[in-house]
Amino acid sequence: MASVSPAAAAAAVSGSHHGRLLLPSSPRRLPRPRPRLRFASCHADTLLPSSSSEVRTPLVPAVEPSSESSTDCFVDWLRARGLPPGKVDIRERPVPCLRDGKDRPLRYVAAGVDLQEGDVAFEVPMSLVVTLERVLGDESIAELLTNNKLSELACLALYLMYEKKQGKDSFWYPYIKELDRHRGRGQLAVESPLLWTESELDYLSGSPLKDEVVARDEAIRREYNELDTLWFMAGSLFQQYPFDIPTEAFPFEIFKQAFVAVQSCVVHLQKVSLARRFALVPLGPPLLTYKSNCKAMLTVDGESVRLVVDRPYKAGEPIIIWCGPQTNSRLVLNYGFVDENNPFDRISIEASLNTEDPQYQEKRMVAQRNGKHAIQNFNVYVGKEKQTVAEMLPYLRLGYISDPDEMQSILSSEGDTCPVSPCTERAVLDQLGGYLESRLAGYPTTLNEDEAMVMSCDFLRVVSWSLYKLAECYGIGFGHCQLADGSLEPKQEVATRLVRLEKKMLHACLQATNEFITDLPDHTVSPCPAQYAPEMK
């Protein structure tokens, strides 16, 4: 899949929940006129072959439903619409942390036969793929809309919302029904925090993600207020729907649910036109399992989207694809799950030069000369915490320079090395250590408490799977096999897994800071506070 990047469609500005590390000196409603612009109509014949005689029936089914879903219309729809023969089938897994037996199992694409690295698992014809090119019928209007105020996700969500109103008359009805079944839930059966209640968002207290959710929600609302623009610019498309304009036909909460569902399964295709780059692919997400350490991607090959596996599979194993270089906070925001082995995971520490410092401009010049900014974001990658702390120190030392002659000496020299004394170095490290400690204190639980809760969930998940397989053997519903009391509510589990990984990186940074302090000469102490003392936000 190349990478999945809905963040590009609904960018969220960084929140100010933690603030930055400050160094010391030492809906407007559109009118409803008749549309003037007329574009290519996008009726059903632009979304599927022009006649039933052109629909190719595969000799071998591309997918086989599990025994529990043998009459599933989604599988029948894929077969009838010409999905070529493949090597996968659709199976079901129990919902993790199921407590009341009400949620139906999640479906996933599994290997139908043993696969080897390099095998083509399946190919989906472009006639079964939803893109802006097919939705709008005109690439130029697609580029115009998405370069203006509306994202690809908003356009795709609006299209599927109108199609859903058509009910069984919609060509996409079986696919939409399958998306509704998943409800944007990720691999841990959890929706994006964008759909959590205010009390559920408290699970993320202390995490920067909580502020990101608020910012993303505001961005989605801005797009909702611009939906009528799409209606009037693509009037020929929407004339086929006997419904009101978007903001009258759909309340904001309904649009947000559709937006989040599309966000959780959209694929970012590479080496295609802009009107094809964001796509909804049957057999793609959410039926495919995301991993950060995988190389398999959905790619375009002619007039189809195919998946070539990057590892061997035994029949029945879930098919895994790459989710792009996304942090765990982004995975939770977009897909509702955490990848414990995510090599792209990171946290951010933002530091800034003090604008009230009389030597602010000189220090800003030194920072820029060394590739830094007056407000600098340092990314702390998992496993590289000590390296990041070392990278921060030259920048932080700038805040402790007070002698103008010393500043001029630095400006006239090359490199980013400021004069270092043990006492000044201790002041810099104490400041950083204090910031890390205060950030850790912002979480309502400790790392040890999180570890204990995650271990409990992992144990109960093993029990859950065992009970599910036992229920299968005896032909009883999984609703009779509930977990023991004491397991976390699914959203709380996802939040706990996320903040636990954030805390681990913060603790590693704090440990590295303390190691640098240990390496200073004995009895080194911080100097007296400068005129412009460190300011923590």
Side-chain angles (χ1 to χ4, degrees):
M1 165 182 67
S3 62
V4 181
S5 58
V13 296
S14 300
S16 59
H17 180 68
H18 296 291
R20 65 175 75 104
L21 182 63
L22 184 63
L23 302 187
S25 70
S26 281
R28 176 175 62 88
R29 176 60 58 84
L30 293 175
R32 225 181 146 175
R34 180 180 179 85
R36 295 182 180 179
L37 300 178
R38 308 290 288 183
F39 295 93
S41 178
C42 187
H43 298 290
D45 60 351
T46 68
L47 297 172
L48 70 157
S50 59
S51 68
S52 58
S53 62
E54 294 178 10
V55 176
R56 177 161 58 91
T57 302
L59 298 177
V60 180
V63 294
E64 288 286 355
S66 65
S67 59
E68 296 86 353
S69 56
S70 58
T71 60
D72 187 283
C73 65
F74 177 60
V75 173
D76 294 339
W77 177 73
L78 290 172
R79 291 173 176 170
R81 297 302 175 184
L83 189 73
K87 301 176 182 178
V88 299
D89 59 18
I90 295 177
R91 303 197 177 188
E92 294 183 345
R93 63 162 65 94
V95 173
C97 288
L98 182 65
R99 301 184 66 87
D100 55 14
K102 293 181 180 179
D103 265 336
R104 300 166 69 187
L106 290 174
R107 290 178 178 166
Y108 64 97
V109 171
V113 297
D114 290 351
L115 298 176
Q116 301 301 318
E117 180 181 350
D119 284 350
V120 177
F122 62 79
E123 290 188 72
V124 178
M126 289 302 296
S127 60
L128 292 174
V129 177
V130 186
T131 64
L132 287 190
E133 180 182 58
R134 293 198 175 277
V135 168
L136 299 175
D138 188 291
E139 184 173 345
S140 61
I141 188 174
E143 294 185 18
L144 176 63
L145 286 170
T146 56
N147 288 331
N148 190 11
K149 295 181 180 180
L150 284 167
S151 68
E152 290 93 339
L153 298 191
C155 297
L156 292 173
L158 180 61
Y159 175 72
L160 292 184
M161 288 163 67
Y162 276 114
E163 284 292 317
K164 184 176 180 179
K165 272 184 171 286
Q166 301 265 61
K168 293 184 178 180
D169 292 335
S170 170
F171 170 76
W172 302 104
Y173 173 76
Y175 183 35
I176 293 172
K177 186 177 179 182
E178 184 64 23
L179 295 180
D180 279 348
R181 177 189 176 104
H182 280 264
R183 302 197 315 273
R185 294 178 298 170
Q187 295 161 202
L188 292 175
V190 172
E191 302 97 336
S192 164
L194 288 166
L195 300 179
W196 294 10
T197 65
E198 188 173 342
S199 60
E200 289 168 340
L201 284 177
D202 287 340
Y203 297 147
L204 295 169
S205 294
S207 172
L209 179 57
K210 190 172 182 179
D211 286 335
E212 289 184 40
V213 170
V214 175
R216 179 73 70 90
D217 186 84
E218 292 172 352
I220 295 174
R221 187 174 291 277
R222 287 194 297 271
E223 294 211 70
Y224 172 77
N225 292 332
E226 295 294 336
L227 285 181
D228 293 350
T229 302
L230 178 59
W231 172 276
F232 291 113
M233 291 186 69
S236 57
L237 163 64
F238 293 108
Q239 279 184 353
Q240 65 181 294
Y241 302 113
F243 310 116
D244 291 331
I245 62 174
T247 54
E248 294 180 3
F250 308 105
F252 171 70
E253 288 303 321
I254 296 299
F255 171 71
K256 185 167 77 168
Q257 290 172 16
F259 186 99
V260 171
V262 169
Q263 171 184 272
S264 71
C265 56
V266 73
V267 174
H268 192 182
L269 299 173
Q270 300 292 317
K271 300 179 180 179
V272 295
S273 65
L274 292 177
R276 281 189 171 189
R277 63 179 177 177
F278 283 89
L280 300 174
V281 184
L283 295 187
L287 295 174
L288 290 173
T289 302
Y290 279 141
K291 289 291 182 183
S292 300
N293 56 359
C294 177
K295 296 180 180 179
M297 303 181 294
L298 288 170
T299 57
V300 176
D301 182 23
E303 285 301 306
S304 67
V305 177
R306 62 159 50 181
L307 176 65
V308 177
V309 297
D310 68 334
R311 64 193 68 188
Y313 288 93
K314 293 292 184 183
E317 291 183 343
I319 300 295
I320 298 171
I321 62 170
W322 188 44
C323 57
Q326 303 186 69
T327 64
N328 274 319
S329 63
R330 192 64 56 182
L331 294 180
V332 172
L333 184 63
N334 293 333
Y335 318 113
F337 82 98
V338 172
D339 188 344
E340 300 277 354
N341 300 307
N342 184 357
F344 305 101
D345 200 19
R346 66 178 184 271
I347 57 174
S348 295
I349 297 177
E350 192 176 81
S352 71
L353 300 173
N354 194 325
T355 56
E356 296 181 2
D357 189 335
Q359 301 186 89
Y360 169 76
Q361 294 297 337
E362 289 85 353
K363 293 179 180 181
R364 184 175 62 86
M365 291 174 59
V366 172
Q368 290 178 340
R369 186 177 66 188
N370 291 283
K372 301 295 189 295
H373 304 282
I375 300 175
Q376 180 63 38
N377 188 66
F378 292 91
N379 289 321
V380 183
Y381 287 89
V382 60
K384 298 181 179 179
E385 293 87 354
K386 188 170 185 177
Q387 176 181 328
T388 305
V389 170
E391 178 190 350
M392 292 180 66
L393 294 181
Y395 184 87
L396 298 179
R397 292 179 192 128
L398 276 174
Y400 289 84
I401 298 172
S402 57
D403 187 340
D405 292 337
E406 191 175 42
M407 192 70 248
Q408 289 302 316
S409 175
I410 295 172
L411 279 171
S412 61
S413 64
E414 296 182 359
D416 62 350
T417 302
C418 297
V420 179
S421 70
C423 291
T424 300
E425 194 74 349
R426 179 62 184 262
V428 170
L429 293 169
D430 281 349
Q431 180 192 7
L432 179 57
Y435 165 81
L436 295 168
E437 289 175 348
S438 66
R439 187 158 166 178
L440 283 165
Y443 294 95
T445 58
T446 67
L447 178 58
N448 289 338
E449 290 171 335
D450 294 342
E451 296 279 11
M453 287 189 284
V454 168
M455 288 179 62
S456 175
C457 284
D458 289 340
F459 171 75
L460 290 171
R461 181 158 289 106
V462 174
V463 174
S464 171
W465 179 252
S466 300
L467 290 175
Y468 180 77
K469 301 308 290 184
L470 184 64
E472 277 189 325
C473 292
Y474 287 92
I476 61 177
F478 184 63
H480 298 288
C481 302
Q482 300 176 24
L483 294 183
D485 290 337
S487 61
L488 292 177
E489 189 272 332
K491 294 172 185 175
Q492 186 179 6
E493 180 191 343
V494 168
T496 300
R497 290 182 181 276
L498 175 68
V499 300
R500 164 179 164 266
L501 294 174
E502 290 176 351
K503 292 174 194 175
K504 288 178 73 172
M505 285 185 276
L506 289 170
H507 272 286
C509 286
L510 185 57
Q511 180 180 355
T513 301
N514 290 331
E515 288 176 0
F516 281 115
I517 291 176
T518 302
D519 292 338
L520 294 173
D522 291 342
H523 309 300
T524 300
V525 295
S526 300
C528 295
Q531 180 181 357
Y532 297 94
E535 194 174 321
M536 307 289 181
K537 294 185 178 179

